[in-house]
Amino acid sequence: MKRSISKIIGLTMLIIAIVFIMFALNHPEKSFPWSNTITWLLYGVYFLVTVVLLIAPKIKK
């Protein structure tokens, strides 16, 4: 994957995460239909993918 594409995808994912957090803080009555364990697992995977996509372009081969 090209560095610029990786950076664009990573920044897009970061913006989506920020928008989601803002929405979630303003609507505490909303929830997912599964347990909190699965929710936190999905948050963790999303965070790891975002970090990898943002750091990967800076790592030299």
Side-chain angles (χ1 to χ4, degrees):
M1 185 180 301
K2 292 184 179 180
R3 291 179 179 199
S4 61
I5 293 174
S6 176
K7 192 183 297 184
I8 290 170
I9 293 172
L11 288 173
T12 303
M13 288 179 69
L14 185 63
I15 292 169
I16 291 170
I18 291 169
V19 170
F20 175 78
I21 290 170
M22 290 171 48
F23 177 81
L25 290 174
N26 289 323
H27 298 281
E29 71 280 358
K30 305 275 186 190
S31 66
F32 292 110
W34 50 76
S35 70
N36 283 342
T37 304
I38 295 173
T39 302
W40 284 105
L41 181 66
L42 291 173
Y43 289 163
V45 169
Y46 189 90
F47 177 75
L48 286 174
V49 170
T50 303
V51 169
V52 166
L53 287 172
L54 289 173
I55 292 176
K58 296 180 181 179
I59 298 174
K60 294 182 181 181
K61 291 183 178 180

